[in-house]
mmCIF file of all heavy atoms in Angstrom:
data_model
loop_
_atom_site.group_PDB
_atom_site.id
_atom_site.type_symbol
_atom_site.label_atom_id
_atom_site.label_comp_id
_atom_site.label_asym_id
_atom_site.label_seq_id
_atom_site.Cartn_x
_atom_site.Cartn_y
_atom_site.Cartn_z
ATOM 1 N N ALA A 42 -110.197 146.606 -85.040
ATOM 2 C CA ALA A 42 -111.493 146.765 -84.373
ATOM 3 C C ALA A 42 -112.467 145.644 -84.688
ATOM 4 O O ALA A 42 -113.550 145.583 -84.071
ATOM 5 C CB ALA A 42 -112.102 148.117 -84.732
ATOM 6 N N SER A 43 -112.158 144.793 -85.640
ATOM 7 C CA SER A 43 -113.126 143.754 -86.001
ATOM 8 C C SER A 43 -112.394 142.539 -86.583
ATOM 9 O O SER A 43 -111.220 142.605 -86.959
ATOM 10 C CB SER A 43 -114.133 144.282 -87.041
ATOM 11 O OG SER A 43 -113.467 144.660 -88.244
ATOM 12 N N ILE A 62 -105.038 150.345 -81.632
ATOM 13 C CA ILE A 62 -105.968 149.970 -82.703
ATOM 14 C C ILE A 62 -106.045 151.138 -83.662
ATOM 15 O O ILE A 62 -106.437 152.262 -83.301
ATOM 16 C CB ILE A 62 -107.367 149.668 -82.145
ATOM 17 C CG1 ILE A 62 -107.352 148.462 -81.217
ATOM 18 C CG2 ILE A 62 -108.357 149.449 -83.301
ATOM 19 C CD1 ILE A 62 -108.700 148.195 -80.539
ATOM 20 N N ALA A 63 -105.660 150.897 -84.902
ATOM 21 C CA ALA A 63 -105.778 151.924 -85.943
ATOM 22 C C ALA A 63 -106.975 151.551 -86.812
ATOM 23 O O ALA A 63 -106.972 150.506 -87.458
ATOM 24 C CB ALA A 63 -104.512 151.971 -86.780
ATOM 25 N N ALA A 64 -107.988 152.403 -86.825
ATOM 26 C CA ALA A 64 -109.225 152.034 -87.507
ATOM 27 C C ALA A 64 -109.922 153.264 -88.087
ATOM 28 O O ALA A 64 -109.797 154.365 -87.558
ATOM 29 C CB ALA A 64 -110.158 151.289 -86.561
ATOM 30 N N ARG A 65 -110.668 153.030 -89.139
ATOM 31 C CA ARG A 65 -111.413 154.102 -89.775
ATOM 32 C C ARG A 65 -112.666 154.434 -88.989
ATOM 33 O O ARG A 65 -113.047 155.585 -88.844
ATOM 34 C CB ARG A 65 -111.779 153.708 -91.213
ATOM 35 C CG ARG A 65 -112.528 154.753 -91.992
ATOM 36 C CD ARG A 65 -112.718 154.354 -93.432
ATOM 37 N NE ARG A 65 -113.329 153.030 -93.528
ATOM 38 C CZ ARG A 65 -113.573 152.405 -94.683
ATOM 39 N NH1 ARG A 65 -113.199 152.950 -95.823
ATOM 40 N NH2 ARG A 65 -114.159 151.224 -94.683
ATOM 41 N N ASN A 66 -113.319 153.391 -88.454
ATOM 42 C CA ASN A 66 -114.559 153.551 -87.688
ATOM 43 C C ASN A 66 -114.231 153.652 -86.204
ATOM 44 O O ASN A 66 -113.946 152.665 -85.539
ATOM 45 C CB ASN A 66 -115.479 152.368 -87.948
ATOM 46 C CG ASN A 66 -116.840 152.510 -87.305
ATOM 47 O OD1 ASN A 66 -116.975 153.143 -86.250
ATOM 48 N ND2 ASN A 66 -117.856 151.913 -87.920
ATOM 49 N N MET A 67 -114.253 154.872 -85.665
ATOM 50 C CA MET A 67 -113.843 155.067 -84.293
ATOM 51 C C MET A 67 -114.849 154.499 -83.305
ATOM 52 O O MET A 67 -114.474 154.083 -82.188
ATOM 53 C CB MET A 67 -113.644 156.566 -84.038
ATOM 54 C CG MET A 67 -112.413 157.126 -84.759
ATOM 55 S SD MET A 67 -110.904 156.272 -84.316
ATOM 56 C CE MET A 67 -110.652 156.860 -82.654
ATOM 57 N N ASP A 68 -116.123 154.475 -83.658
ATOM 58 C CA ASP A 68 -117.115 153.831 -82.775
ATOM 59 C C ASP A 68 -116.807 152.354 -82.598
ATOM 60 O O ASP A 68 -116.805 151.838 -81.493
ATOM 61 C CB ASP A 68 -118.528 154.014 -83.328
ATOM 62 C CG ASP A 68 -119.024 155.446 -83.258
ATOM 63 O OD1 ASP A 68 -118.503 156.183 -82.414
ATOM 64 O OD2 ASP A 68 -119.922 155.808 -84.023
ATOM 65 N N ALA A 69 -116.510 151.692 -83.702
ATOM 66 C CA ALA A 69 -116.161 150.277 -83.649
ATOM 67 C C ALA A 69 -114.864 150.071 -82.885
ATOM 68 O O ALA A 69 -114.719 149.105 -82.133
ATOM 69 C CB ALA A 69 -116.048 149.698 -85.063
ATOM 70 N N ALA A 70 -113.902 150.947 -83.060
ATOM 71 C CA ALA A 70 -112.623 150.851 -82.381
ATOM 72 C C ALA A 70 -112.783 150.992 -80.876
ATOM 73 O O ALA A 70 -112.177 150.229 -80.094
ATOM 74 C CB ALA A 70 -111.662 151.899 -82.906
ATOM 75 N N ASN A 71 -113.612 151.934 -80.467
ATOM 76 C CA ASN A 71 -113.839 152.101 -79.034
ATOM 77 C C ASN A 71 -114.628 150.944 -78.438
ATOM 78 O O ASN A 71 -114.397 150.533 -77.273
ATOM 79 C CB ASN A 71 -114.574 153.420 -78.786
ATOM 80 C CG ASN A 71 -113.635 154.616 -78.853
ATOM 81 O OD1 ASN A 71 -112.626 154.650 -78.152
ATOM 82 N ND2 ASN A 71 -113.918 155.576 -79.713
ATOM 83 N N GLU A 72 -115.543 150.369 -79.206
ATOM 84 C CA GLU A 72 -116.255 149.185 -78.750
ATOM 85 C C GLU A 72 -115.299 148.018 -78.585
ATOM 86 O O GLU A 72 -115.390 147.232 -77.636
ATOM 87 C CB GLU A 72 -117.363 148.822 -79.756
ATOM 88 C CG GLU A 72 -118.551 149.760 -79.721
ATOM 89 C CD GLU A 72 -119.612 149.394 -80.769
ATOM 90 O OE1 GLU A 72 -119.536 148.267 -81.298
ATOM 91 O OE2 GLU A 72 -120.518 150.193 -81.017
ATOM 92 N N ALA A 73 -114.388 147.885 -79.548
ATOM 93 C CA ALA A 73 -113.373 146.833 -79.474
ATOM 94 C C ALA A 73 -112.512 146.996 -78.230
ATOM 95 O O ALA A 73 -112.204 146.030 -77.525
ATOM 96 C CB ALA A 73 -112.518 146.841 -80.723
ATOM 97 N N VAL A 88 -106.814 153.809 -79.125
ATOM 98 C CA VAL A 88 -107.394 153.844 -80.471
ATOM 99 C C VAL A 88 -107.005 155.139 -81.179
ATOM 100 O O VAL A 88 -106.928 156.214 -80.537
ATOM 101 C CB VAL A 88 -108.932 153.708 -80.422
ATOM 102 C CG1 VAL A 88 -109.317 152.378 -79.773
ATOM 103 C CG2 VAL A 88 -109.567 154.855 -79.674
ATOM 104 N N LEU A 89 -106.729 155.022 -82.459
ATOM 105 C CA LEU A 89 -106.428 156.195 -83.281
ATOM 106 C C LEU A 89 -107.109 156.029 -84.635
ATOM 107 O O LEU A 89 -107.168 154.925 -85.168
ATOM 108 C CB LEU A 89 -104.905 156.336 -83.491
ATOM 109 C CG LEU A 89 -104.064 156.905 -82.352
ATOM 110 C CD1 LEU A 89 -102.586 156.890 -82.745
ATOM 111 C CD2 LEU A 89 -104.504 158.305 -81.987
ATOM 112 N N LYS A 90 -107.569 157.119 -85.175
ATOM 113 C CA LYS A 90 -108.269 157.073 -86.460
ATOM 114 C C LYS A 90 -107.300 156.942 -87.616
ATOM 115 O O LYS A 90 -106.267 157.627 -87.663
ATOM 116 C CB LYS A 90 -109.124 158.340 -86.652
ATOM 117 C CG LYS A 90 -109.996 158.300 -87.902
ATOM 118 C CD LYS A 90 -110.880 159.520 -87.973
ATOM 119 C CE LYS A 90 -111.765 159.521 -89.201
ATOM 120 N NZ LYS A 90 -112.667 158.369 -89.269
ATOM 121 N N LEU A 91 -107.649 156.040 -88.557
ATOM 122 C CA LEU A 91 -106.795 155.815 -89.728
ATOM 123 C C LEU A 91 -107.664 155.317 -90.887
ATOM 124 O O LEU A 91 -108.343 154.304 -90.781
ATOM 125 C CB LEU A 91 -105.708 154.767 -89.442
ATOM 126 C CG LEU A 91 -104.882 154.295 -90.640
ATOM 127 C CD1 LEU A 91 -104.063 155.461 -91.206
ATOM 128 C CD2 LEU A 91 -103.984 153.130 -90.249
ATOM 129 N N ASP A 92 -107.614 156.057 -91.983
ATOM 130 C CA ASP A 92 -108.243 155.628 -93.235
ATOM 131 C C ASP A 92 -107.126 155.328 -94.217
ATOM 132 O O ASP A 92 -106.485 156.236 -94.751
ATOM 133 C CB ASP A 92 -109.156 156.723 -93.773
ATOM 134 C CG ASP A 92 -109.855 156.331 -95.062
ATOM 135 O OD1 ASP A 92 -109.537 155.261 -95.614
ATOM 136 O OD2 ASP A 92 -110.746 157.089 -95.502
#
Side-chain angles (χ1 to χ4, degrees):
S43 63
I62 297 175
R65 182 173 54 182
N66 186 329
M67 291 302 288
D68 289 338
N71 282 305
E72 287 178 15
V88 300
L89 284 176
K90 186 175 180 61
L91 171 65
D92 181 352

